[in-house]
Each structure stands twice: as C-alpha cells, then as structure tokens.
Amino acid sequence: DDKDSGEFQTFQHYFKQINLSRCIAMVLESTVICVDNSEYMRNGDFVPTRLLAQQDAVNMVCSSKTRSNPENTVGLMTTGTLKVLSTLTSEVGKVMSCLHQIEPDGDSNFVTAIKIAQLALKHRQSKNHKTRIVVFVGSPVTSDAKDLQRLAKKLRKEKVNVDVVNFGESEENAEKLAGFINTLNGKDGTGSNIVTVSVGPNLSDALMRSPIMAGDGDIGGSGGGAGFDYMDQDPELALALRVSLEEQRQRQEEENKSEGGGGAIEATPPQLPDPSNVDLSQLSEEEQIALAMQMSLAGVDDDEVSTPKTTAAPSEGASTTTTAAAPTEPMSADDVMADVMADPEFLQQVLTDLPGVDPSSDAVKSVMGNIQKGSKNKKDDKDSGEGSGESAAKKPRKDNN
C-alpha cells in the first residue's frame, strides 16, 4: 500500500507538471496573416508558384495557431490589394476558403498592410489575447528604413509582435526587414522573428523548422508541437515518461510471446472440407455441430492413416504361416474414429477451437454423448469380430499338427 501510494503521488506530481506546461504553451493569441499577392507571386522559383507555395505555408500557420489553443483567432488580408479577406475568427475553414480565392494583383505595400493589420487587431473581441502579425514578403519592400523604424517603434508601444517570412526577393529585403525586427524587439531581443528562405527548399518545410512555428520565444510555444515542450522544460518528467513507455513496450512484448507460445501448444483446428453433397439448411443446429466435428476429426484421421509405417523384416528361421501373420494391417478410419471419440480431452480441445461452438452448452454435450456411445459400440463389435476370427484361425493349426 505504501508503495502504491508513493507511485500515485509521483504520477500526480508529473500530471500536474504536464498540465502546467500545457497551460503555459496554450497562449491566448490573435493573429492577422498578411499574404503577398503582388505580381511577383506569379514566379515559379518556388514550386509550383510563389503564390501557391505561400498558400501552403499560410495553411500550416493557421492550423498551428488554432490547434495550440481553440480560443485563438486568425485573420487574413493581402498586402497587394490591401483587403481584409477574413476578420479574426477561430474557424480555419473560413480562412482557408478566403485564402484560395487570392489572385496576383498589383504591388505589395508592406507598411500600409501592417497598419491595417494592427487596426484589425485593435477590434478583437478578447482584449486579453496577445496580438501578432505574420507577414509574407515575396516582393521588394519599397519603403525606406526610416519609415520601417517608426512603424516598428509604434508596434512595440502597442505590444504587437510581428513575424516576417522573407522569400523570393530575400537578398534585396534582408537588410531592411532585419532592421525592422531588431527595432521592434528592442533590448529584450525576443517576441518578433524573421525567417529568410532562399530559393530551393520548400517554403512550408523551411517554416516548420523556424521560430515562427514555436510562437513567442519567452513562453515557448504555440506551434504544432507546442504540446510537447514540457519535455525540454522538465528533463526528469521526460525521463520518467521514457521509462514508463519502455516498460509498457516490454510488457506488451512479453504478453505477445506468452500468447504465441500458448498457441503453439494448442492443437490447430483442421480445415473443414466443403460439404458439397450435404444440404446444411436442412440440418438442425445439433446435426450441423456433429457434422462439423466429424469432418474435423476425419481430416485428422486421414493424416494419421496416410502416414507410412515401417515393419520389421521377418527372420530366416520363421515359418511361412508366421511370416504371413507378422505384418500388422493399418487401422481403418472407423478404428481411428472410435479411438478419437474415446478421448474426451481431445474432443473438448477440438470443440474449443471451433468458432461459434460453446462446449458447455446442453446441445453439444448431448451430441457428444451420442457420438461417443456409437463409437464405443462399433469398437466393441470390432473387437468381438477380431476375437472370433483369431480362434477360427487357430483351429487348422491344431489339425495340421
């Protein structure tokens, strides 16, 4: 009892740790995703096009945000046409429906799109949600560095974090966007992120390994795998879970081995022949069970009868009559059937292996009794016939002598 109570307390402690880690990881957050739909999105350097590759990445980000916490909300707008396609909502399907309607049009305006996204975040329903803007930049940023710095200071004052995905024109925009993020993060250096994706790798794969999918750096996660961040926060918990999983795996392997060994000892039920000459619909349940048992036993008997048996060679000094009587005749199917029916343990085992048959039912017991009685009578008749034959064969021998 003391051991069980100690294990329960340990489990309770780790369970609280897991729940605490999950609560930390489940950040309440409202996010506006800005999609670049400028004419540059027609380029095919990202397979199949920049726009389609961007749609896959946006889909992944939306799913990650809503999966980390069901109360999180996501909005969608474009940086080319500067339209808010979807207000903040927790329905991913609505966002995806608007996402696939985007077509390349016009030039991207980075600063104006950020301001519109900030305005949309101000009108969020839950004021306790943190605010974040995810911007995809696949075209040149025409704004100068001073405008970007002023915008970054305003966002930092409003406590709005910004994640920038720089792809396509990454080399041209790298310096401006890096300065924008550094100004936005300030002295802390955390909260906002920039990911630069060069031409070649898949945009979604590169984004999956980025800090953007890990969420806020201080809290440790709103990404797709945020639910398992407690593994890094509590090494003792991670070790305990690994040991528990290993013990469970070993226990399952031992159970599988024991089940496999028991199955090897038990006799496998023989395959029943196809009763082509018997109308099973006309038979009662008891007759069908009896027929199945006989067919099963007949299959076993055929294998035993067909097994060749070696007989010892007769000696040279033996007489002709003795040599003729030495070889033993093979047992017939009726003899084997009688022997098998006389073995109740074997019959019980065969009935247990038959699907849909309950050996403890009254119907099966009555059929078993009838079959065993018939087999016993046949065996007794056979033994009496063999005894009379042997006495008749001995008489000529006495007359000859």
Side-chain angles (χ1 to χ4, degrees), residues 118 145-160 179-186:
Q118 179 189 3
K146 293 183 180 180
D147 293 338
L148 294 177
Q149 288 182 359
R150 283 196 295 267
L151 178 62
K153 292 179 181 179
K154 183 179 179 180
L155 293 173
R156 184 176 61 184
K157 185 178 180 181
E158 297 291 337
K159 296 182 179 179
V160 178
F180 171 76
I181 294 298
N182 292 333
T183 304
L184 182 60
N185 285 331

Side-chain angles (χ1 to χ4, degrees), residues 298-309:
V300 177
D301 299 340
D302 293 341
D303 294 339
E304 293 180 356
V305 172
S306 60
T307 303
K309 297 182 180 180

Side-chain angles (χ1 to χ4, degrees), residues 47-68:
V47 180
T49 61
R50 290 185 184 181
L51 181 61
L52 295 179
Q54 188 179 194
Q55 288 180 356
D56 293 339
V58 172
N59 186 3
M60 183 180 62
V61 173
C62 290
S63 300
S64 173
K65 296 294 183 181
T66 55
R67 191 185 304 115
S68 63

Side-chain angles (χ1 to χ4, degrees), residues 287-310:
E287 293 174 345
Q288 291 180 8
I289 294 174
L291 178 62
M293 290 173 55
Q294 292 178 3
M295 294 171 64
S296 300
L297 295 175
V300 177
D301 299 340
D302 293 341
D303 294 339
E304 293 180 356
V305 172
S306 60
T307 303
K309 297 182 180 180
T310 59

Side-chain angles (χ1 to χ4, degrees), residues 51-235:
L51 181 61
L52 295 179
Q54 188 179 194
Q55 288 180 356
D56 293 339
V58 172
N59 186 3
M60 183 180 62
V61 173
C62 290
S63 300
S64 173
K65 296 294 183 181
T66 55
R67 191 185 304 115
S68 63
N69 193 323
E71 297 183 6
N72 286 351
T73 56
V74 180
L76 184 68
M77 68 166 295
T78 58
T79 60
T81 55
L82 299 176
K83 292 182 179 180
V84 178
L85 302 179
S86 175
T87 57
L88 293 172
T89 179
S90 58
E91 300 179 3
V92 182
K94 180 180 179 181
V95 179
M96 293 299 101
S97 177
C98 298
L99 175 63
H100 293 289
Q101 297 176 2
I102 298 177
E103 296 291 338
D105 185 14
D107 297 328
S108 177
N109 193 328
F110 180 81
V111 175
T112 306
I114 294 293
K115 291 180 179 179
I116 295 175
Q118 179 189 3
L119 184 61
L121 289 173
K122 282 185 177 181
H123 292 84
R124 65 188 185 277
Q125 294 182 354
S126 300
K127 298 301 180 181
N128 59 339
H129 282 202
K130 292 189 174 184
T131 56
R132 182 175 296 273
I133 302 173
V134 179
V135 188
F136 287 83
V137 181
S139 57
V141 177
T142 57
S143 302
D144 56 13
K146 293 183 180 180
D147 293 338
L148 294 177
Q149 288 182 359
R150 283 196 295 267
L151 178 62
K153 292 179 181 179
K154 183 179 179 180
L155 293 173
R156 184 176 61 184
K157 185 178 180 181
E158 297 291 337
K159 296 182 179 179
V160 178
N161 294 324
V162 179
D163 292 333
V164 178
V165 181
N166 182 22
F167 70 104
E169 309 297 327
S170 56
E171 295 181 358
E172 183 178 350
N173 298 328
E175 185 177 355
K176 291 182 178 181
L177 295 178
F180 171 76
I181 294 298
N182 292 333
T183 304
L184 182 60
N185 285 331
K187 296 180 180 179
D188 296 337
T190 57
S192 300
N193 305 283
I194 180 173
V195 177
T196 301
V197 183
S198 58
V199 178
N202 186 278
L203 184 60
S204 299
D205 293 342
L207 196 61
M208 179 66 74
R209 300 185 295 269
S210 67
I212 294 177
M213 296 302 295
D216 193 344
D218 294 336
I219 298 180
S222 62
F228 300 96
D229 289 342
Y230 59 85
M231 290 292 188
D232 298 332
Q233 298 175 6
D234 192 346

Side-chain angles (χ1 to χ4, degrees), residues 13-70:
H13 167 71
Y14 286 131
F15 184 74
K16 290 180 179 179
Q17 291 289 337
I18 292 174
N19 288 339
L20 178 61
S21 301
R22 287 181 176 177
C23 291
I24 292 175
M26 294 176 64
V27 182
L28 291 174
E29 190 176 61
S30 295
T31 306
V32 175
I33 300 177
C34 300
V35 179
D36 192 343
N37 68 328
S38 63
E39 294 293 339
Y40 284 85
M41 297 301 102
R42 300 183 186 274
N43 295 344
D45 49 357
F46 286 86
V47 180
T49 61
R50 290 185 184 181
L51 181 61
L52 295 179
Q54 188 179 194
Q55 288 180 356
D56 293 339
V58 172
N59 186 3
M60 183 180 62
V61 173
C62 290
S63 300
S64 173
K65 296 294 183 181
T66 55
R67 191 185 304 115
S68 63
N69 193 323

